[in-house]
């Protein structure tokens, strides 16, 4: 079948059913603009136009000048959509009236025409696109139809038409390619790789239009983009021109953006309330907010010139969203410098677009918290009572906002809140953003959908565990000496501290081992394709440790790649090496922007003097850049930080952005977050409804009240009023809590109270307890047992002990191949396949601990640290249904035996174990054998040859005889060495 019968004809037939007039041009030559139809439309839509004004309007739209097709196209779009773009006076004495080229309010007043096989003049040859859509004689869409066997993701036709017949695209708004089984749409100058799919469940109207035959992807896209009212809706509100690095890019909405914005507008109009838009990371939430703001601003939307307030939770995100609004040409976004500035801006009666951070509301929250009476509502200053304030919240997370978010809601009592997030459910607190922002989710777009649409890339997950073991005997002995004279109780706290992630993850040999693996992995899988990496660290101290490890490898000639540490640090408290190894604060912004550039000659600048290339391969971070940082060149995240739920998904989404030549993002897990990843994917896949994990907030309010009452009554013996005499109350409370049993009961009550506060927030109901929340948590800090406190000096000693006695045998790969996490159900199935290995071996018998000083404590320390290392691996195994293969040993039974035997390295134990019973001096014999075979051992390939093995046996037989061992051992020794 031909492309005409498979694709072009069904498309034309569908357009006719949608109410388009049809002309089969049969290859006839025409001008790009159908002048007679344009002339008729201008007269019909603007009956006040006299002949002179009519000609002015015609010349304006048909003779646009510009330095590029994009510039001309942008001006044409302005003329078509902006009421003030062209105004003319009916007579010299009358006021100017806007000229309409398209009537966006009265859809049927326009002339819709579909033409196939029309010929247009070109610079090289004539252009004959398969289908052109005209509205009022203006070509607004060009569609190329292909046979279903043709891959439309890589056809040159549409770009060729733009170069050959540019006038056809002066007013173009949508370019599309179809082949019945696939359909893509995009904009002028966009490569086909950036075209989008339109995935949507067919509605009843489309089914009725198509009739008995199967609905195809082609039908879905054409119907949803070019249905008359939808087509004009897109043209007027959903076309933006974004300027990036001096280049203008035209953008159309992805289908989920179009769907979400129109759902929001519909809800605001019909229900007068906001809600939550749940779109996965990388799906274009910032641009969706621009589309929404544009439509809210529209005069015919009926929102009376509203005020739009865009709220983020970090200054860098505030700057980023402000930049997005400015780059897309949105008029006059203003960043509020403070809450007072925001209040001033909100006083104006006319609409503004304002940008702020949630933390600006903290100023008022703190002020309102003072001088409140028991159980009364706090006084919250109302910033504005206007009804037409719309608050758009970027990456909203209930857990981040807490009390401050509650004050924001109360300071804008009549505002409508619309929250945009990829992770709205908090499993740990069993709560959801919808409780705060109003009703059910307005729209959902999941990870799986985003990957299927090609909007984001699949993320491949790899996991490897550093093979660690403890030199237990030596470590226990050193521990006993270092902390000699310290009480048994304090040693118990030190013991707990030594097993914490803060200590184990920072162990020097562990970091060195992982750094070496990172360099090898990056060099073989990532750098050859020109992509970059981020190392996510447990804390700032570990970030510095990784930089030191990478620099050490560079000095050894093992790491050719540049790395930078990007983190915040304290000039007063932090170590000197932080300043020497981390990026200075004033350079961070430039470094993270430069990181987005490709590798190349850094001295090669643009004509404007801008940097074009950056050779930083690794960004080393702890908390910074894990949300909101968009760098398509980033392909791999090396993860050595325990993250959960939305924090985990936001972090790994840094690598899912599309870029030419990039087929997937990678996560390499060194810390064991598999279980957390499975849980996060399950929660945020979109398959779970809020009710599956959510508690009823109203019932939780009662629980909160009861827990608050218990906590207050616990201090009923204190005669001071905790409001009026706060300081005196605290002193008496601290005194009252001296007894350990009383203190433990207080901690238990406070823990329950804090948990209830966390669940109920940011509901304004919780703000009545804010004073007591602050008061009792302050008391908790004051009554912390001094025996629990571990000094910096003691922490340093512990870290030194661990550094010296925690050793590594490299990285053990725990998956055969990286696994795609995009579909969490499939991800889990794949992990379960990996779980068919032998279960984790039980730890071997613990060597008897040093008994010189406090042997029981020393043994307990060894057992607990051993347990922590075992649990890191066991935790992963349980999380993914027997994920891990058997480790060789969990804890090394023989601690550094080669050193005790006087050998040079662990490998020499191969020979030593064979000869130790055959000679009186097995150490000297072993060293002599290795010296004699040195040239063979350096070349494993040669060792496998039979002639070489014969020579090796001949060389060591005299040595065996010299040290009193049987010459027959030569064969066994050579065989063991060859086997490795």
């Amino acid at each position: 079948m031909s492309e005409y019968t498979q694709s072009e004809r069904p498309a034309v037939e569908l357009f006719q059913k949608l109410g388009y007039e049809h002309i089969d041009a049969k290859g006839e030559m025409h001008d790009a603009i159908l002048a007679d139809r344009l002339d008729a439309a201008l007269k019909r839509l603007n009956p006040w136009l006299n002949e002179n004004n009519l000609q002015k309007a015609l010349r304006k739209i048909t003779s646009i000048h510009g330095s590029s097709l994009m510039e001309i196209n942008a001006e044409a779009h302005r003329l078509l959509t902006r009421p003030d773009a062209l105004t003319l006076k009916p007579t010299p004495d009358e006021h100017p009236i806007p000229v309409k080229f398209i009537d966006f309010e009265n859809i049927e007043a326009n002339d819709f025409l579909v033409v196939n096989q029309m010929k247009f003049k070109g610079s090289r040859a004539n252009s004959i696109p398969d289908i052109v859509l005209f509205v009022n004689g203006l070509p607004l869409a060009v569609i190329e139809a292909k046979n279903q066997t043709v891959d439309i993701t890589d056809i040159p036709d549409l770009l060729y038409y733009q170069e050959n017949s540019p006038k056809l695209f002066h007013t173009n708004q949508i370019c599309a390619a179809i082949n019945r089984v696939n359909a893509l749409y995009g904009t002028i100058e966009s490569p086909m790789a950036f075209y989008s799919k339109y995935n949507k469940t067919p509605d009843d109207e489309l089914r009725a239009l198509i009739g008995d035959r199967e609905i195809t992807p082609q039908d879905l896209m054409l119907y949803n983009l070019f249905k008359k009212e939808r087509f004009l809706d897109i043209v007027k509100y959903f076309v933006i021109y974004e300027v990036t690095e001096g280049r203008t890019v035209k953008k159309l909405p992805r289908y989920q953006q179009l769907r979400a914005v129109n759902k929001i507008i519909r809800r605001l109009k019909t229900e007068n309330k906001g809600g939550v838009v749940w779109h996965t990371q990388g799906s274009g939430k910032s641009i969706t907010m621009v589309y929404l703001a544009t439509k809210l601003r529209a005069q015919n939307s009926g929102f009376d010139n509203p005020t739009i307030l865009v709220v983020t939770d970090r200054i860098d995100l505030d700057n980023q969203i402000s930049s997005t609004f400015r780059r897309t040409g949105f008029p006059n976004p203003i960043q509020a410098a403070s809450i007072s500035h925001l209040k001033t801006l909100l006083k104006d009666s006319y609409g503004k677009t304002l940008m702020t951070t949630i933390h600006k509301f903290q100023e008022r929250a703190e002020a309102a918290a003072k001088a409140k009476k028991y159980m009364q509502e706090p006084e919250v200053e109302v910033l504005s009572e206007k009804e037409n304030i719309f608050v758009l919240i970027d990456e909203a997370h209930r857990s981040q906002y807490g009390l401050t978010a509650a004050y924001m809601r109360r300071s804008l009592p009549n505002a409508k809140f619309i929250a945009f997030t990829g992770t709205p459910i908090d499993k740990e607190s069993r709560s959801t953003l919808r409780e705060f922002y109003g009703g059910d989710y307005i729209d959902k777009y999941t990870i799986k959908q985003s990957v299927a649409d090609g909007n984001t890339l699949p993320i491949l997950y790899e996991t490897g565990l550093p093979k660690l073991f403890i030199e237990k005997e030596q470590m226990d002995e050193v521990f006993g000496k270092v902390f000699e004279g310290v009480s048994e109780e304090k040693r118990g706290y030190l013991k707990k501290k030594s097993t914490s992630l803060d200590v184990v993850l920072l162990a020097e040999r562990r970091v060195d081992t992982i750094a070496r693996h990172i360099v090898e992995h990056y060099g073989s899988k990532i750098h050859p394709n020109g992509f970059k990496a981020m190392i996510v660290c447990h804390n700032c101290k570990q970030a510095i440790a990784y930089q030191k490890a990478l620099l050490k490898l560079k000095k050894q000639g093992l790491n050719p790649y540049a790395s930078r540490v990007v983190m915040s640090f304290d000039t007063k408290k932090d170590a000197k090496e932080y300043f020497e190894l981390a990026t200075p604060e004033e350079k961070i912004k430039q470094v993270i922007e430069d990181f987005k550039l490709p590798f190349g000659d850094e001295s090669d600048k643009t004509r404007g003097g801008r940097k074009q290339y950056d050779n930083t391969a690794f960004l080393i971070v702890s908390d910074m850049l894990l949300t909101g940082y968009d760098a398509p060149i980033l392909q791999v995240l090396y993860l050595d930080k325990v993250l959960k739920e939305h924090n985990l998904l936001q972090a790994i989404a840094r690598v899912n952005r599309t870029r030419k030549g990039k087929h997937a993002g990678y996560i390499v897990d060194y810390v064991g977050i598999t279980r957390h990843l499975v849980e996060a994917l399950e929660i945020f896949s979109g398959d779970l409804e809020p009710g599956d994990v959510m508690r009823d907030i109203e019932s939780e309010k009662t629980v909160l009240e009861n827990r608050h009452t218990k906590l207050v009554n616990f201090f009923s013996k204190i005669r001071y009023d905790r409001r009026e005499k706060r300081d005196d109350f605290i002193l008496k409370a601290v005194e009252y809590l001296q007894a350990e049993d009383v203190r433990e009961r207080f901690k238990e009550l406070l823990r329950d109270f804090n948990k209830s506060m966390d669940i109920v927030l940011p509901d304004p109901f919780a703000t009545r307890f804010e004073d007591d929340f602050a008061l009792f948590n302050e008391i908790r800090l004051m009554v912390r047992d001094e025996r629990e406190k571990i000094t910096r000096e003691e922490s340093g000693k512990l870290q030194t002990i661990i550094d010296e006695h925690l050793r590594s045998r490299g990285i053990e790969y725990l998956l055969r191949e990286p696994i795609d996490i995009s579909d969490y159900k499939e991800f889990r199935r794949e992990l379960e396949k990996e779980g068919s290995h032998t279960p984790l071996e039980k730890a071997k018998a613990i060597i008897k601990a040093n008994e010189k000083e406090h042997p029981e404590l020393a043994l307990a320390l060894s057992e607990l640290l051993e347990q922590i290392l075992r649990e890191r691996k066991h935790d992963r195994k349980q999380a993914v249904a027997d994920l891990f293969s058997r480790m060789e040993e969990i804890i090394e039974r023989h601690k550094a035996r080669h050193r005790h035997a006087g050998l040079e390295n662990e490998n020499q134990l191969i020979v030593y174990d064979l000869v130790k019973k055959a000679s009186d001096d097995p150490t000297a014999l072993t060293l002599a054998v290795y010296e004699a075979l040195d040239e063979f051992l350096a070349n494993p390939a040669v060792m496998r040859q039979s002639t070489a093995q014969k020579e090796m046996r001949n060389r060591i037989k005299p040595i065996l005889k010299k040290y009193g061992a049987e010459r027959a051992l030569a064969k066994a020794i050579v065989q063991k060495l060859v086997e490795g």
Side-chain angles (χ1 to χ4, degrees), residues 912 915-925 960 962-965:
Y912 181 84
V915 303
K916 63 184 178 182
K917 294 181 180 179
S919 171
D920 294 334
D921 193 353
T923 299
L925 171 54
L960 290 168
K962 177 181 177 181
Y963 287 97

Side-chain angles (χ1 to χ4, degrees), residues 807-861:
R807 300 190 177 276
S808 172
R809 285 180 169 175
I811 298 294
E812 180 182 18
Y813 275 104
L814 302 172
L815 296 173
R816 290 189 294 267
E817 295 291 338
I819 298 177
D820 184 358
I821 69 170
S822 305
D823 181 342
Y824 89 90
K825 291 179 181 177
E826 184 62 28
F827 175 60
R828 190 158 199 161
R829 282 193 291 270
E830 288 296 321
L831 290 174
E832 287 168 357
K833 290 180 186 177
E834 296 289 342
S836 59
H837 303 295
T838 312
L840 189 67
E841 287 188 342
K842 293 182 178 180
K844 295 187 175 182
I846 299 173
I847 298 178
K848 200 171 183 179
N850 187 301
E851 296 181 354
K852 290 181 181 179
E853 292 182 324
H854 308 292
E856 293 182 1
L857 179 62
L859 180 60
L861 171 64

Side-chain angles (χ1 to χ4, degrees), residues 527-595:
H527 186 262
N529 296 317
F531 297 110
K532 300 189 178 185
M534 184 181 286
I535 302 172
V536 181
C537 303
H538 175 65
N539 55 24
C540 291
K541 190 173 182 180
Q542 194 195 48
I544 294 297
Y546 269 110
Q547 178 70 326
K548 289 165 71 174
L550 291 173
L551 291 176
K552 183 163 64 176
L553 290 171
K554 184 181 283 289
K555 191 173 181 180
Q556 295 168 354
L558 300 175
N559 173 25
Y561 311 112
S563 54
R564 286 183 176 272
V565 179
V566 175
M567 66 183 195
S568 299
F569 52 91
D570 192 315
T571 55
K572 295 179 180 178
K573 296 180 181 179
D574 291 322
K576 182 180 178 182
E577 63 182 7
Y578 283 36
F579 303 91
E580 296 170 345
L581 297 174
T583 303
E585 185 177 0
E586 66 273 11
K587 293 184 179 180
I588 286 178
K589 184 176 180 181
Q590 191 60 51
V591 165
I592 62 179
E593 284 303 309
D594 289 348
F595 182 74

Side-chain angles (χ1 to χ4, degrees), residues 305-347:
N305 197 19
T307 296
I308 299 168
L309 177 61
V310 181
V311 179
T312 62
D313 69 337
R314 294 207 318 269
I315 293 173
D316 58 333
L317 293 183
D318 185 37
N319 293 333
Q320 183 176 305
I321 194 72
S322 299
S323 176
T324 300
F325 270 70
R326 291 189 183 93
R327 288 199 313 271
T328 55
F330 197 88
N332 303 320
I334 304 169
Q335 285 179 274
S338 65
I339 201 72
S340 299
H341 184 211
L342 179 61
K343 182 180 180 181
T344 301
L345 292 170
L346 289 170
K347 281 182 178 178

Side-chain angles (χ1 to χ4, degrees), residues 142 144 155-162 169 175-177 192 195:
V142 174
E144 189 67 11
I155 59 173
D157 307 56
L158 290 166
L159 283 174
Y160 167 75
Y161 296 147
Q162 293 168 46
F169 294 87
C175 299
M192 293 299 299
Y195 276 46

Side-chain angles (χ1 to χ4, degrees), residues 245 316 319 532 564-567 583-598 602 604-606 608-616 618-619 624-625 629-631 633:
E245 297 180 358
D316 58 333
N319 293 333
K532 300 189 178 185
R564 286 183 176 272
V565 179
V566 175
M567 66 183 195
T583 303
E585 185 177 0
E586 66 273 11
K587 293 184 179 180
I588 286 178
K589 184 176 180 181
Q590 191 60 51
V591 165
I592 62 179
E593 284 303 309
D594 289 348
F595 182 74
K596 300 175 182 180
L597 299 173
E602 292 189 352
D604 189 5
K605 302 290 199 304
T606 66
R610 288 197 308 272
K611 192 174 180 179
Q612 294 190 98
Y613 303 103
D614 180 80
N615 292 327
T616 303
F618 300 111
L619 277 188
M624 294 182 70
L625 308 184
Y629 182 56
D630 192 356
I633 200 168

Side-chain angles (χ1 to χ4, degrees), residues 251-480:
K251 292 187 175 182
L252 287 172
R254 297 168 182 167
Y255 71 92
Q256 80 276 4
Q257 294 172 317
L258 186 65
R259 181 184 67 201
V261 169
N262 284 329
K263 281 184 176 180
I264 294 167
I265 296 296
R266 187 159 54 249
R267 175 179 285 196
L268 289 169
K269 285 184 174 182
T270 59
E271 302 177 45
N272 195 33
K273 68 178 183 179
V276 178
V277 176
W278 180 352
H279 283 189
T280 191
Q281 287 89 354
S283 58
K285 289 187 288 294
S286 295
I287 295 296
T288 304
M289 294 168 78
V290 174
Y291 289 136
L292 176 59
T294 300
K295 204 154 193 183
L296 288 170
R297 278 265 175 271
Q299 188 173 354
N300 64 351
S301 292
F303 297 115
D304 191 23
N305 197 19
T307 296
I308 299 168
L309 177 61
V310 181
V311 179
T312 62
D313 69 337
R314 294 207 318 269
I315 293 173
D316 58 333
L317 293 183
D318 185 37
N319 293 333
Q320 183 176 305
I321 194 72
S322 299
S323 176
T324 300
F325 270 70
R326 291 189 183 93
R327 288 199 313 271
T328 55
F330 197 88
N332 303 320
I334 304 169
Q335 285 179 274
S338 65
I339 201 72
S340 299
H341 184 211
L342 179 61
K343 182 180 180 181
T344 301
L345 292 170
L346 289 170
K347 281 182 178 178
D348 294 325
S349 58
Y350 59 90
K352 283 188 173 75
T353 302
L354 310 176
M355 312 284 175
T356 190
T357 62
I358 185 69
H359 308 296
K360 295 284 195 310
F361 290 88
Q362 186 68 32
E363 300 171 26
R364 288 295 187 265
E366 290 172 353
K370 295 178 181 179
K372 291 184 298 182
K373 293 184 178 179
Y374 175 58
M375 291 299 287
Q376 285 187 345
E377 293 290 326
E379 294 294 329
V380 177
E381 182 180 10
V382 174
L383 299 179
S384 177
E385 293 184 340
K386 286 194 291 186
E387 296 276 350
N388 64 338
I389 294 179
F390 299 94
V391 183
L392 315 186
I393 302 176
D394 184 33
E395 280 304 344
H397 299 293
R398 198 208 103 271
S399 58
Q400 294 172 342
Y401 289 2
L403 284 162
T404 306
Y407 281 108
M408 176 180 68
R409 185 63 181 260
R410 295 182 65 184
S411 65
L412 299 169
N414 299 317
K416 313 303 181 296
F417 291 80
I418 302 104
F420 293 81
T421 181
T423 51
I425 296 177
D426 185 334
K427 183 184 178 186
E428 191 167 315
S429 297
R430 299 180 67 82
S431 60
T432 168
L433 278 171
R434 76 175 189 177
E435 288 298 312
F436 181 53
Y437 294 111
D440 294 327
Y441 300 111
I442 298 174
D443 193 65
K444 287 199 299 187
Y445 184 64
T446 67
I447 297 171
K448 185 177 178 181
Q449 290 170 327
S450 182
V451 171
D453 293 338
N455 293 329
T456 55
L457 295 172
I459 298 175
L460 303 181
Y461 173 75
E462 300 181 39
T463 181
L465 187 69
K467 295 190 287 185
L468 307 174
F469 63 92
I470 311 155
E471 294 178 330
K472 185 163 52 185
E473 286 185 343
Q474 297 94 320
M475 186 186 72
D476 292 348
E477 184 174 354
V478 171
F479 182 88

